[in-house]
Amino acid sequence: MSDDAILTFIPWVRRGVGRALAQGADVDGVPQSGGGELEASVQVGSSSAKRVMRLRGPESVIGLSPNQVVRMTPPEGTTDFETTGFAAVELLSPELPWAFTPAAPSGDRLLPWLVLVVVEVREGILVGPMPGARLPVLSVDDVARELPTLREAWAWAHVQAQVPLVPDLGAAIDATPEGFVARLLAPRLLEPSTAYLACLVPAFEQGRRAGLGLATDPTDVSTLAWGASGPATLPVYHQWSFRTASADGDFEDLAKRLVARALDPRSGAHALDIGSPGSDRLPRQPGLTIDFVGALKAPDLRPRPWPKRHRDAYQRDLGALLEEGLSPRGGKAKPARYDPRVDDPVVAPPTYGALAAGETQLPAPDSGRWLADANLDPAKRSAAGLGAEVVRIHQERLAAAAWDQLATLKGVNGLLNRSRLALEVGRRMKGRVDALDDGALLQLSRPAHARVRGAGMDVTVRGRLASSPLTGLTSAAFSRSVRPGSSVSRALSRSSAPSMAPTRVAAALTTRFIAEPAALGAFASYTVPHGAVLAGAEDAARPARGAAVRAVKARGRAAPRVAGAATAAGAPGPRDEAGPRRPPRQDRAGGARAPRSRPAGSGLACARRSALPSASGGTRTSRPPCSERRSSRSPRTRSSRGSIRSSSSPASVRCRPTAWPSPASTTRSSRRSSSA
């Protein structure tokens, strides 16, 4: 058996600074007065400083995490627990039961700071809240009847290790913490058909007072939570209930029903005749018998001896006969010319277990291997033959069961193949992802940003991007605007730059923005209300734009994006009220055309807007009502560069046609020649 299968039980485990405690416990592992203190010293050069520190004890514990309880015996709600068993609880941290015990161990004895008790559910036993208590409270009317002796609690706590303790206990816990578990037992004999309540409670008085919300004294380390008699009130860290079985039927009860009786000294042995084996290849000795011993036999049974001379000859000849049936007589090499009389195996007695063991040669009789014992000992060979006979009797049913088991193998192999494919695809994808730059990786991982937390970050990647200028580049709107087939994609398809291909535009822009945010930020346009006139000096143009945007947004107006803005201080916009009115349109007959009326509900507001503050401290006017706007239009001309220019404003003040409210009127104006 390997070392991994061996269980090791350790009386106590303590880690950390608690191992440096010098005050030892008494013979029962109970701390003595003055315990829990540790002297620490710091030396710098030739000077040193010492200080006495008190470690946290049971008075510091006001609760236990439910994650620490990994197993309860019996489980919660059990109704048929055997009366011969003990209730137990297993804790995740192996050092937890002794972490707050304010003393050094006395040999293999150290009292845990919490214990498991089992009380009967009856009148006089209460569990529930109590005013001022931080935990549920267990009230016991008779300690001598319900609770164990606390000075013996060291014997009911231990650590179970399922791994080798190499090179030492601490290293083994650090390497394989899942191989250790702390276990607390409740030393109470259970009665049949009885309901019980198991509770984790403190073992020290100061721990009891802390759980009840009372004042504590850290210097009192030796007083226990209850005495030998009287009532007790204890806080409960963890609890569960169970019930014992109604009748005895466990192994102990069945063993007690057994009645010993005298047996014949030959009980369990049967005579086996090996004097006439039935083959001329084996030695004959008529009348020779040995004992065939069964599984149940008399304690003082002495099998008949097998003469050594006959045994050696029998096993030698039987081994040679079995060897001929295991392999062809011509050897393992393929013969040049097949001869069945030479190359076929001899029809010999079966070699039991050779096929399962993968052996083509029988071990020596004295090798001690099971294959030799099962085939060369007549008694054991007879037992193997009986087992083979059972298989032959039920071979059809066994073969059908094997085929049923094989049917599930196809699904298992398919799962393994898909797992291998996923692993290989993952390896290839990892290599390709590792080669991506930051921008491409950020765009590729966009769907997972809300679920990924970066190293050293207390928020997800999506939350981090939301507070950075990159949030727009990782939005769904940006992805739609640069997807294949969009206007940006079509424009890039006509570009000669291969690095800005449509399929890589999002990654390229993101990478460029990460490297040079200021350079790309210079291309950003500001959102201003339609028709607003920005005034102010060139150095004040940028704050004025921001002020206009904030003012219009505060009034609840829509703010479409304008690609250009006024660049001269105080210049009137293309729709300023101060410009002359444009001449009325002429119909084809030469008469004046009546102005068109706009239908109600068209979406354009006709109410007068209030004046907005400008960057220079004055005011700038917004769009007037539709009636006034028609009467105050100034003549417009179209420049050679395609922008609409107001005849009453400087040539430097321009606004793109998209800034006008009616694209239809702008189109009509661009199609005909304009007059001064």
Side-chain angles (χ1 to χ4, degrees):
M1 182 179 296
S2 63
D3 294 338
D4 294 341
I6 298 178
L7 298 180
T8 305
F9 295 94
I10 308 170
W12 54 267
V13 170
R14 172 166 279 177
R15 308 181 70 193
V17 72
R19 296 179 299 177
L21 287 173
Q23 297 86 357
D26 59 12
V27 294
D28 291 328
V30 180
Q32 301 178 5
S33 60
E37 295 181 350
L38 181 66
E39 184 179 276
S41 62
V42 178
Q43 185 171 356
V44 179
S46 59
S47 60
S48 61
K50 295 183 178 180
R51 183 178 179 181
V52 177
M53 300 184 302
R54 177 170 297 278
L55 300 182
R56 290 185 178 273
E59 73 282 352
S60 303
V61 182
I62 58 174
L64 183 67
S65 173
N67 296 333
Q68 284 293 326
V69 179
V70 296
R71 184 180 180 185
M72 300 175 294
T73 304
E76 168 72 27
T78 301
T79 58
D80 56 351
F81 187 59
E82 296 179 355
T83 57
T84 56
F86 290 104
V89 62
E90 295 181 1
L91 304 178
L92 180 64
S93 301
E95 70 274 11
L96 180 60
W98 305 272
F100 298 98
T101 301
S106 176
D108 59 352
R109 298 184 178 184
L110 182 62
L111 194 74
W113 62 271
L114 77 168
V115 293
L116 179 65
V117 298
V118 172
V119 296
E120 183 181 352
V121 178
R122 59 174 180 82
E123 186 177 355
I125 304 296
L126 298 176
V127 177
M130 178 180 290
R134 298 185 174 96
L135 298 170
V137 178
L138 170 65
S139 300
V140 180
D141 57 353
D142 189 356
V143 169
R145 175 181 176 182
E146 299 293 342
L147 301 182
T149 302
L150 272 179
R151 296 190 66 88
E152 299 177 353
W154 62 269
W156 302 100
H158 62 266
V159 173
Q160 175 182 301
Q162 304 180 25
V163 295
L165 306 181
V166 290
D168 53 45
L169 178 60
I173 295 178
D174 292 336
T176 54
E178 67 278 3
F180 295 83
V181 64
R183 183 180 292 112
L184 300 175
L185 301 174
R188 175 166 185 159
L189 296 178
L190 305 178
E191 299 294 333
S193 303
T194 305
Y196 289 98
L197 182 67
C199 302
L200 272 176
V201 297
F204 294 94
E205 172 64 17
Q206 299 307 314
R208 185 187 74 88
R209 296 180 65 86
L212 296 178
L214 305 176
T216 59
D217 182 9
T219 61
D220 182 12
V221 298
S222 58
T223 305
L224 301 181
W226 64 83
S229 60
T233 304
L234 303 169
V236 179
Y237 300 128
H238 184 75
Q239 61 176 316
W240 78 95
S241 59
F242 63 93
R243 188 178 183 87
T244 54
S246 59
D248 295 337
D250 56 3
F251 181 80
E252 180 181 359
D253 181 69
L254 296 177
K256 290 179 179 179
R257 298 179 185 180
L258 297 177
V259 178
R261 52 185 241 186
L263 294 178
D264 187 345
R266 295 291 303 167
S267 296
H270 298 272
L272 180 62
D273 188 352
I274 61 173
S276 301
S279 175
D280 296 337
R281 299 280 300 273
L282 300 178
R284 294 173 55 85
Q285 187 175 345
L288 179 61
T289 59
I290 60 174
D291 283 339
F292 180 89
V293 181
L296 297 177
K297 61 180 181 179
D300 53 352
L301 173 64
R302 294 183 179 181
R304 296 182 182 131
W306 187 7
K308 185 177 183 305
R309 181 177 179 180
H310 184 270
R311 182 184 61 191
D312 294 343
Y314 188 93
Q315 291 182 344
R316 182 186 66 249
D317 296 342
L318 180 59
L321 182 60
L322 296 178
E323 285 282 357
E324 295 180 0
L326 286 176
S327 59
R329 287 174 290 177
K332 297 182 179 180
K334 185 177 180 180
R337 185 176 180 181
Y338 173 73
D339 186 356
R341 295 173 298 179
V342 176
D343 300 314
D344 282 353
V346 175
V347 180
T351 303
Y352 300 110
L355 183 61
E359 296 285 350
T360 58
Q361 187 175 3
L362 198 63
D366 54 353
S367 63
R369 299 180 59 183
W370 68 269
L371 189 60
D373 293 340
N375 288 277
L376 300 180
D377 188 337
K380 296 178 181 178
R381 184 175 175 82
S382 300
L386 293 176
E389 181 64 21
V390 173
V391 173
R392 282 191 292 269
I393 294 174
H394 303 283
Q395 60 182 355
E396 298 298 333
R397 187 172 62 183
L398 295 175
W403 280 111
D404 292 340
Q405 186 177 6
L406 186 63
T408 61
L409 189 61
K410 183 177 180 181
V412 174
N413 290 335
L415 178 61
L416 292 176
N417 292 335
R418 291 191 295 272
S419 301
R420 295 189 190 101
L421 177 61
L423 179 61
E424 187 62 27
V425 171
R427 289 174 178 173
R428 298 294 182 91
M429 289 298 297
K430 183 178 183 301
R432 298 180 62 180
V433 170
D434 291 343
L436 295 176
D437 52 22
D438 293 342
L441 182 60
L442 200 63
Q443 292 292 342
L444 178 64
S445 59
R446 185 171 60 87
H449 287 174
R451 303 187 299 272
V452 177
R453 189 186 300 272
M457 296 169 53
D458 55 353
V459 296
T460 61
V461 175
R462 182 177 179 180
R464 183 66 178 271
L465 290 175
S467 60
S468 71
L470 289 173
T471 180
L473 295 176
T474 57
S475 64
F478 178 74
S479 300
R480 289 193 299 268
S481 64
V482 297
R483 68 177 182 264
S486 63
S487 58
V488 176
S489 177
R490 291 193 300 270
L492 291 175
S493 63
R494 297 188 293 270
S495 174
S496 60
S499 61
M500 290 295 290
T503 56
R504 300 185 56 190
V505 59
L509 287 177
T510 307
T511 303
R512 180 76 183 278
F513 194 90
I514 294 174
E516 302 177 76
L520 290 186
F523 293 95
S525 59
Y526 294 87
T527 303
V528 297
H530 180 70
V533 179
L534 303 181
E538 179 64 26
D539 54 355
R542 190 178 299 273
R545 296 167 186 169
V549 172
R550 289 191 297 271
V552 174
K553 285 186 176 180
R555 298 185 63 85
R557 292 297 184 183
R561 182 171 298 274
V562 179
T567 57
R575 290 182 177 268
D576 201 322
E577 297 181 29
R581 182 179 179 183
R582 188 179 61 182
R585 298 177 182 177
Q586 302 292 327
D587 56 13
R588 295 184 179 181
R593 180 183 299 177
R596 293 185 304 171
S597 61
R598 188 175 301 276
S602 60
L604 295 179
C606 294
R608 181 180 298 275
R609 300 179 182 178
S610 61
L612 300 178
S614 66
S616 59
T619 60
R620 57 181 178 82
T621 58
S622 61
R623 292 175 57 190
C626 295
S627 59
E628 298 182 11
R629 189 168 64 249
R630 296 191 185 97
S631 62
S632 62
R633 288 177 179 173
S634 59
R636 295 179 302 171
T637 61
R638 176 171 294 276
S639 66
S640 59
R641 302 182 64 180
S643 61
I644 299 176
R645 180 181 303 172
S646 173
S647 60
S648 62
S649 61
S652 60
V653 181
R654 297 179 179 179
C655 186
R656 295 181 182 178
T658 54
W660 295 92
S662 176
S665 62
T666 303
T667 304
R668 290 192 297 270
S669 299
S670 63
R671 289 180 179 176
R672 68 174 180 267
S673 300
S674 60
S675 60

